[in-house]
């Protein structure tokens, strides 16, 4: 309609300039009218995406055997309960103001699957049509199959109070609002990796040391991202699909497999750079001097990434992971305590001495060995070596320098004691681990200066921690 009106108006206005002007005015008017007509028509158009006429039938195997598993097994669950498909409609206008409306339909389902007989420790992973599910994208509840488990609240809400079985003695899972878009709007073929504890060993484990300690953000219960190249975002501390972070996935599984676990030791390393006690600096280290667009800046003991110790390469790879970021250590302690665990904080020295070093060896070798054991830190020359300073005042001075220098052992320990206080305290604090090369040094025939230093530090830290 607007095309005809605008065309007539254009003709009338253009006729002032003669027949040619009338023709030009008619064309311009027609174009304007067409644009108006198109806008009006598009704004009232409504498109609908594909929609299921009826829910596709699903089936369960009546009388199917229920496995009794040992250890870790991957198996297919048996459907024991499901609702009709849940349809959700979304209508959006495409192309901005004036564009057509488009309605799309998404489908979801509530469903339960029986897994195995008896009391099962955990479901570790789930696959849908052969692809591992990201457990952060689904709402799945797990029932271990105990004889005291209660009915699932969703099943009871759908079936009515008192009408929902608890499936006692059967391990099963319940999916709530499982999205079906990626599976052709059908219930996918689901497989589950389940774990059943066998024997008494894991049941009797009460304390565990967490490894690896050398990880810049591996202890963080929160996600950390960076951008190695433009537009390429990655998650640094989520390398499995089982949990929100590597820390969460590991602690969840640990507590499932070790039901009597009471204490964890959180290892936090700094890096020594010399086997000679007098020259050995102990500093926090990083794998890279800089990273691109990190979501969390790495900081330890007041150092940023750019001025921390840069860990050496062993061949083509970095010899160690880095020192855990201070904020991640505090968060890990708090999270472990929320889980009902006691925490031992375990400051740990790792030796970053590469193969091409030119450092003098206290043991009479041409150079210091690559990446040696921390227990080999000693005085120079070492005990039993020619001209050893063991049992002399010089040995005591070297030990004092190891402990009291700017990047010495005291600063290392006191820093982590302060983090423990920030986290609300810990249950134990470990110092002196594996440093036997230092504890046997004497500055007189009967005095052990490093042992004395450890006693003094233990007293200070005990006071600091309360």
């Amino acid at each position: 309609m607007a095309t005809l009106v605008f065309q007539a108006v254009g003709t009338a206005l253009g006729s002032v300039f003669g027949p040619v002007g009338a023709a030009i005015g008619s064309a311009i008017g027609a174009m304007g009218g067409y644009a108006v007509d198109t806008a009006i028509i598009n704004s009232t158009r409504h498109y609908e995406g594909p929609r299921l006429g009826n829910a596709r039938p699903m089936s369960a195997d009546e009388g199917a055997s229920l496995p009794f598993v040992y250890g870790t097994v991957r198996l297919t669950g048996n459907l024991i309960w499901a609702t009709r498909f849940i349809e959700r409609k979304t209508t959006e206008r495409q192309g901005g103001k004036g564009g057509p409306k488009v309605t799309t339909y998404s489908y979801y389902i509530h469903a339960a699957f029986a897994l195995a007989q008896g009391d099962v420790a955990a479901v570790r992973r789930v696959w849908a049509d052969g692809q591992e599910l990201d457990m952060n994208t689904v709402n799945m509840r797990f029932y271990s199959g105990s004889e005291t488990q209660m009915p699932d609240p969703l099943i009871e809400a759908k079936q009515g109070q008192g009408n929902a079985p608890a499936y006692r003695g059967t391990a099963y899972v319940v999916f709530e609002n499982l999205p079906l878009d990626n599976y052709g709007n059908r219930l996918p073929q689901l497989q589950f990796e389940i774990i059943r504890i066998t024997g008494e060993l894991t049941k009797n484990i009460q304390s565990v040391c967490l490894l690896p300690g050398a990880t810049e953000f591996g202890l963080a219960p929160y996600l950390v991202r960076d951008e190695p190249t433009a537009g390429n975002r990655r998650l640094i501390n989520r390398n499995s699909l089982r949990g929100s972070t590597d820390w969460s996935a590991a602690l969840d599984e640990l507590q499932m497999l070790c039901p009597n676990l009471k204490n964890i030791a959180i290892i936090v390393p700094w890096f020594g750079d010399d086997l000679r006690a007098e020259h050995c600096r102990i500093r926090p280290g990083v794998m890279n001097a800089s990273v691109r667009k990190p979501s969390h800046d790495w900081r330890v003991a007041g150092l940023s990434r750019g001025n921390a110790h840069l860990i050496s390469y062993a061949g083509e790879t970095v010899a160690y992971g880095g020192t855990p970021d201070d904020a991640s250590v505090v968060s890990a302690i708090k999270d472990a305590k929320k889980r009902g665990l006691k925490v031992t904080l375990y400051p740990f020295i790792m030796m970053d001495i590469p193969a091409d070093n030119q450092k003098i060896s206290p043991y009479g070798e041409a150079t210091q060995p690559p990446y040696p054991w921390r227990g080999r830190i000693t005085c120079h020359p070492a005990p039993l070596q020619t001209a050893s300073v063991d049992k002399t005042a010089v040995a005591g001075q070297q030990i004092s320098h190891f402990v009291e220098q700017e990047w010495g052992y005291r600063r290392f320990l006191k820093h982590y004691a302060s983090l423990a206080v920030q986290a609300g305290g810990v249950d134990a604090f470990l110092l002196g681990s594996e440093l036997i090369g230092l504890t046997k040094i004497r500055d007189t025939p009967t005095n052990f200066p490093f042992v004395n230093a450890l006693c003094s530090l233990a007293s200070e830290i005990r006071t600091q921690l309360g």
Side-chain angles (χ1 to χ4, degrees), residues 252-307:
D252 289 345
E253 189 168 324
L254 180 61
Q255 290 188 286
M256 291 173 186
L257 295 179
C258 303
N260 293 314
L261 184 71
K262 294 181 174 62
N263 187 294
I264 59 169
I266 299 178
I267 297 174
V268 280
W270 283 14
F271 297 89
D273 59 6
D274 205 301
L275 287 178
R276 297 167 295 173
E278 184 178 17
H279 299 280
C280 184
R281 295 171 298 173
I282 307 169
R283 297 171 291 167
V286 293
M287 300 171 64
N288 299 289
S290 63
V291 296
R292 179 185 171 90
K293 296 184 179 179
S295 61
H296 293 74
D297 290 325
W298 180 94
R299 293 194 68 84
V300 175
L303 295 181
S304 61
R305 182 178 295 276
N307 50 18

Side-chain angles (χ1 to χ4, degrees), residues 84-335:
R84 296 179 181 275
F85 283 10
I86 303 163
E87 182 182 84
R88 292 182 183 169
K89 182 171 70 172
T90 304
T91 301
E92 296 177 332
R93 191 175 294 279
Q94 301 293 316
K97 185 177 181 181
K101 292 181 179 180
V102 176
T103 297
T104 57
Y105 296 89
S106 298
Y107 293 90
Y108 302 81
I109 194 171
H110 306 314
F113 295 84
L115 304 179
Q117 294 184 58
D119 209 345
V120 173
V123 172
R124 177 185 279 153
R125 292 186 290 175
V126 181
W127 291 266
D129 287 349
Q131 298 296 315
E132 186 176 354
L133 274 179
D134 184 340
M135 300 309 294
N136 277 2
T137 65
V138 296
N139 183 3
M140 186 189 83
R141 288 185 294 278
F142 166 69
Y143 294 88
S144 66
S146 73
E147 294 298 333
T148 58
Q149 67 189 18
M150 300 302 291
D152 180 78
L154 174 65
I155 297 178
E156 191 165 45
K158 294 292 184 181
Q159 301 299 124
Q161 185 74 28
N163 295 327
Y167 300 107
R168 289 174 179 166
T170 298
Y172 74 103
V173 296
V174 177
F175 287 96
E176 186 169 345
N177 288 319
L178 178 67
L180 303 177
D181 293 358
N182 293 332
Y183 312 110
N185 289 327
R186 62 175 178 78
L187 192 63
Q189 180 73 20
L190 294 170
Q191 291 184 307
F192 305 84
E193 183 178 78
I194 64 175
I195 304 171
R196 181 186 180 88
I197 300 172
T198 59
E200 297 299 318
L201 176 60
T202 56
K203 295 179 182 178
N204 292 330
I205 292 175
Q206 298 187 20
S207 299
V208 169
C209 287
L210 295 183
L211 295 173
T215 169
E216 293 177 12
F217 289 101
L219 299 182
Y222 47 83
L223 284 173
V224 181
R225 300 176 175 83
D226 69 0
E227 189 174 295
T229 57
N232 179 27
R233 298 287 284 173
R234 67 173 179 178
L235 296 175
I236 296 174
N237 63 332
R238 188 172 190 247
N239 295 287
S240 76
L241 300 179
R242 302 195 299 274
S244 57
T245 65
D246 293 335
W247 164 272
S248 299
L251 267 290
D252 289 345
E253 189 168 324
L254 180 61
Q255 290 188 286
M256 291 173 186
L257 295 179
C258 303
N260 293 314
L261 184 71
K262 294 181 174 62
N263 187 294
I264 59 169
I266 299 178
I267 297 174
V268 280
W270 283 14
F271 297 89
D273 59 6
D274 205 301
L275 287 178
R276 297 167 295 173
E278 184 178 17
H279 299 280
C280 184
R281 295 171 298 173
I282 307 169
R283 297 171 291 167
V286 293
M287 300 171 64
N288 299 289
S290 63
V291 296
R292 179 185 171 90
K293 296 184 179 179
S295 61
H296 293 74
D297 290 325
W298 180 94
R299 293 194 68 84
V300 175
L303 295 181
S304 61
R305 182 178 295 276
N307 50 18
H309 168 70
L310 186 61
I311 297 168
S312 66
Y313 273 68
E316 297 182 356
T317 59
V318 180
Y320 302 100
T323 298
D325 169 68
D326 279 350
S328 72
V329 175
V330 173
S331 297
I333 294 172
K334 290 181 177 180
D335 185 68

Side-chain angles (χ1 to χ4, degrees), residues 48-62:
E48 290 200 0
R51 183 181 185 186
L52 293 181
N54 294 295
R56 300 189 185 184
M58 296 173 296
S59 63
D61 295 329
E62 184 176 355

